[in-house]
């Protein structure tokens, strides 16, 4: 019998290596582990990766006291910080502020945390108290008089209330909070820099933010400060323990469902019947329909999936012939063996192909798969191959045929090459970044970013070291579309001549998308409630604006910043957005933490099909931790995973196409494309890192369909 309660540990880690997804940015966040009721061992959640991160703090110039949130809404976590310790200095702000936006690394300052402490609020919710520090772990000054406070319903999402300020300047070390039921008040305890035990009392800890709480010596504290557990004392590598609390079995199940591994626990196919009175072709057709029967897969969290089955052809043919000839008697049951279909794609799928896009499309009714990506030869995505920049396209009848292993690279077609002109007559000489395939206005389209040779000077008048060479900062989002013949049929996408001349995508009145830095990239499409939107990256963040698919080269509304990197895990950049709608929710993935081995995939969501304004940052909810990060997949480390795109395989299953970093013995060699299937958890979260034997346990791969003649 399983226990009714479980023990939950919170901790940070001592940073080790980036190659282990445990640099300072990740180590200095709150991790969680549950104690096994069977072995007593502590089992880290989320692969020993952080779950609660300190949010960035906006500088004073981004503060708007008239706004209900107190700062720009595109920075949702930092928006809840209290006036008492909202800002990090008084530095000049960026030009982005004039456009109602913030610039990562300029207008907001990243933070980390130490000494996390879990506690219960009076209403049963969870509270988190921690010491806020500068990114990397150095003191940021707040520890002199304050601590970080957040609350959570179930520890899968957090409401960051801000800093609780105490009337002291003597230091607040290892803050702890507990609710005193007898006195109906919260007791805050800590040690100052001299080791003296101190406390503060308040009736409502959530209302303490924005006030200064009086302090006093703690009369109930032991004279000597309890020793901190040694690093790794709980059997978790590099763990710096916070504290342990008790959670219910139901609460533990929620944490396990979200942060544990989900694995296949069974597979079945329902029994079928066959009309014994059928003869000839009618009987054969009925048996052929049985050949399309799918398997129902079950998983450890209660989720399910449906997969096609490759049924034994000889058994089906024999059944069809017996049925056609009338040799099947009513009541007879025939067993047809089969195997659950599982495509395990080559790793890597495509070498030195970054920002990949796989698109399932019908070429005048013919099913077709297209693959397009950034050429990232040797990590040079601006001017690769000695100045021979190109846009490589692969076309095949199956996803597997697109891979390098199946000869996909040898069959690439260059849709564009260095020197091709855009609609303005400008020579596109570099980049061809992040091409994405979409159908816009009924036409197959490619959204991408070319760049041009740089001028002698930068916009600020300084000499340009990319003068006369491809300059990424000149890059702008473009669109090119497949032409149709006189009868409205699509021309062959494999012929570069069948595509329109690339046009730059412009704002209202023909304005440049990014007036702050010029560069705009990583454009994608969102279609919701009859409205069409572009989402893209500029100013280190994700922006969105409406457009008319009949005139896709110009926006119909002003751009809005909706995703700002504000945690140490998505630091300094949010890019590569791509959206998918599932059961009433828009899942918009994006990538952060700069290109390289620290790259991660974040997630924001919004209601789908309800007519919400997707240009309003308040419509989007951001996940507190990455949806995908570096980790072990099928026994091998994959570092720097990100810039993904949703797509579908031949059976209609959702797949995720992304890149990871080539990295061997300290050398970064560019990015390779990968393809995986997506699993939906019982709570409705997309799982992007399900391994092959977790998706389908080999023990359940073989199955039998029983067909009874009636």
């Amino acid at each position: 019998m399983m226990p009714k309660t479980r023990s939950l540990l919170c901790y940070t880690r001592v940073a080790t290596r980036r190659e282990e997804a445990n640099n300072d940015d990740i180590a200095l966040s709150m991790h969680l582990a549950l104690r096994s009721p069977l072995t007593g061992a502590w089992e880290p959640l989320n692969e020993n990766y952080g779950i609660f991160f300190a949010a960035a703090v906006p500088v004073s110039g981004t503060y708007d006291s008239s706004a209900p949130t107190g700062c720009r809404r595109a920075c949702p976590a930092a928006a809840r910080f209290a006036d008492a310790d909202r800002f990090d200095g008084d530095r000049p702000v960026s030009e982005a502020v004039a456009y109602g936006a913030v610039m990562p690394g300029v207008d907001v300052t990243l933070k980390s945390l130490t000494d996390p402490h879990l506690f219960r609020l009076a209403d049963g919710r969870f509270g988190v108290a921690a010491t806020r520090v500068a990114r990397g772990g150095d003191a940021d000054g707040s520890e002199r008089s304050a601590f970080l406070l957040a609350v959570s319903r179930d520890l899968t999402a957090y409401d960051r209330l801000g800093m609780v300020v105490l009337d002291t300047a003597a230091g607040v070390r290892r803050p702890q909070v507990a609710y005193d039921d007898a006195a109906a008040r919260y007791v805050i305890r800590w040690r100052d820099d001299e080791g003296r035990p101190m406390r503060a009392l308040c009736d409502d800890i959530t209302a303490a933010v924005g006030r200064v709480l009086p302090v006093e010596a703690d009369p109930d504290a032991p004279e000597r400060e309890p020793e901190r557990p040694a690093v790794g004392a709980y059997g978790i590598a590099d763990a710096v323990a916070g504290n342990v609390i008790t959670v219910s079995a139901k609460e533990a199940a929620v944490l396990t469902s979200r942060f544990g591994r989900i694995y296949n626990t069974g597979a079945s196919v329902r029994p079928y019947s066959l009309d014994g009175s059928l003869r000839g072709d009618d009987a054969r057709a009925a048996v052929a329909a049985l050949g399309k029967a799918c398997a129902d897969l079950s998983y450890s969290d209660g989720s399910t999936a449906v997969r096609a089955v490759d049924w034994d052809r000889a058994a089906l043919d024999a059944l069809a012939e017996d049925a056609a000839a009338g040799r099947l008697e009513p009541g007879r049951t025939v067993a047809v063996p089969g195997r659950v279909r599982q495509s395990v794609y080559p790793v890597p799928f495509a070498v030195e192909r970054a920002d990949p896009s796989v698109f399932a499309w019908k070429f005048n009714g013919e099913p077709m798969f297209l693959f397009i990506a950034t050429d990232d030869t040797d990590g040079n995505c601006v001017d690769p191959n000695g100045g021979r920049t190109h846009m490589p396209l692969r076309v095949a009848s199956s996803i597997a045929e697109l891979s390098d292993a199946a000869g996909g690279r040898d069959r690439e077609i260059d849709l564009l090459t260095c020197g091709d002109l855009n609609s303005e007559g400008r020579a596109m000489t570099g980049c061809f970044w992040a091409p994405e395939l979409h159908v816009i206005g009924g036409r197959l389209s490619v959204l991408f970013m070319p760049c041009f040779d740089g001028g002698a000077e930068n916009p600020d008048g300084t000499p340009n070291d990319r003068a006369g060479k491809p300059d990424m900062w000149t890059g702008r989002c473009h669109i090119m579309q497949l032409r149709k013949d006189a009868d409205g049929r699509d021309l062959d996408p494999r012929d570069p001549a069948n595509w329109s001349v690339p046009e730059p995508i412009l704002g209202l009145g023909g304005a440049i998308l990014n007036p702050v830095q010029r560069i705009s990239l990583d454009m994608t499409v969102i279609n919701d409630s009859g409205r069409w939107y572009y989402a893209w990256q500029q100013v280190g963040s994700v922006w969105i604006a409406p457009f008319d698919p009949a005139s896709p080269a110009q926006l119909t509304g002003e751009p809005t910043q909706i995703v700002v990197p504000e945690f140490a895990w998505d630091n300094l950049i949010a890019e590569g957005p791509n959206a998918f709608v599932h059961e009433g929710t828009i899942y918009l993935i994006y990538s952060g933490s700069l290109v390289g081995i620290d790259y991660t995939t974040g997630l924001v969501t919004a209601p789908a099909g309800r007519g919400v304004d997707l240009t309003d940052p308040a419509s989007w909810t951001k996940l507190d931790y990455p949806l995908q990060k570096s980790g072990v997949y099928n026994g091998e480390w994959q570092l720097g995973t990100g810039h993904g795109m949703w797509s579908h395989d031949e059976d209609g299953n959702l797949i995720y196409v992304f890149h990871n970093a080539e990295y061997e013995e300290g050398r970064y060699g560019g990015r390779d494309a990968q393809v995986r299937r997506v699993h939906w958890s019982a709570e409705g979260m997309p799982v992007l890192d399900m391994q092959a034997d977790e998706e389908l346990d080999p023990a359940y791969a073989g199955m039998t369909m029983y067909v009874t003649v009636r």
Side-chain angles (χ1 to χ4, degrees), residues 467-698:
K469 296 180 289 187
D471 180 358
M472 59 174 274
W473 294 100
T474 67
R476 300 180 187 178
C477 295
H478 278 59
I479 183 171
M480 55 191 290
Q481 296 187 289
L482 187 64
R483 296 188 174 97
K484 296 177 181 287
D485 64 18
D487 297 324
R489 292 170 57 84
D490 292 308
L491 297 177
D492 193 333
R494 290 163 286 201
D495 185 349
N498 291 337
W499 292 84
S500 66
V501 175
E503 296 180 77
I505 296 175
L506 302 174
L508 293 174
I512 186 174
L513 294 184
N514 182 1
V516 178
Q517 295 173 310
R518 297 180 294 166
I519 186 173
S520 57
L521 61 151
D522 295 352
M523 185 165 274
T524 193
V525 173
I526 304 174
N527 180 10
D528 179 67
S529 303
R531 302 172 188 167
W532 289 72
Y533 303 86
Y534 284 135
W536 70 97
Q537 193 266 95
Q538 64 186 32
V539 196
S541 47
V542 177
W543 295 60
I544 194 170
F547 75 99
D548 181 352
S551 302
Q554 185 162 328
L555 306 181
T556 57
E558 292 290 349
T560 306
Q561 187 182 43
I562 58 169
V563 183
V564 174
E566 57 191 316
F567 302 120
W569 63 262
D570 67 352
N571 62 83
L572 298 182
I573 199 163
E575 61 184 3
N578 192 261
F580 180 74
V581 175
H582 177 73
E583 296 185 352
T585 298
I586 301 171
Y587 292 84
L588 182 71
I589 51 176
Y590 71 95
S591 296
S593 195
L594 300 179
V595 174
I597 69 171
D598 303 320
Y599 215 38
T600 56
T601 301
L603 174 71
V604 293
T605 58
R610 302 183 210 171
V612 301
D613 180 8
L614 298 183
T615 67
D616 183 352
S619 298
W620 297 93
T621 300
K622 183 175 179 179
L623 198 66
D624 292 293
Y625 34 82
L627 184 66
Q628 183 195 29
K629 71 275 187 192
S630 297
V632 176
Y633 179 72
N634 287 350
E636 298 288 338
W637 269 94
Q638 285 191 344
L639 299 172
T641 57
H643 200 123
M645 180 176 180
W646 310 100
S647 189
H648 291 88
D649 67 11
E650 295 85 343
D651 296 320
N653 300 310
L654 187 65
I655 61 172
Y656 172 61
V657 188
F658 65 100
H659 69 234
N660 70 288
E662 282 186 25
Y663 192 79
E664 290 188 19
E665 298 180 354
R667 180 185 179 274
Y668 172 72
R671 297 162 290 169
D672 300 336
Q674 312 290 355
V675 180
R676 294 181 190 163
R677 256 178 306 277
V678 177
H679 180 77
W680 291 97
S681 72
E683 62 168 331
M685 287 290 289
V687 179
L688 305 183
D689 62 350
M690 181 170 279
Q691 303 186 56
D693 60 352
E694 292 174 331
E695 180 194 20
L696 177 63
D697 189 319

Side-chain angles (χ1 to χ4, degrees), residues 92-104:
V93 296
S94 74
E95 294 179 50
V97 173
Y99 296 90
V102 293
M103 182 178 289

Side-chain angles (χ1 to χ4, degrees), residues 407-437:
R409 189 184 186 96
D410 298 332
R411 296 190 298 271
E412 282 183 346
I413 302 143
D414 288 341
L415 289 189
L416 294 171
T417 57
C418 180
D420 285 343
L421 304 181
N422 74 353
S423 62
E424 300 170 319
R426 301 177 67 195
M428 300 176 290
T429 58
C431 297
F432 296 135
W433 281 1
E436 274 198 11
L437 291 154

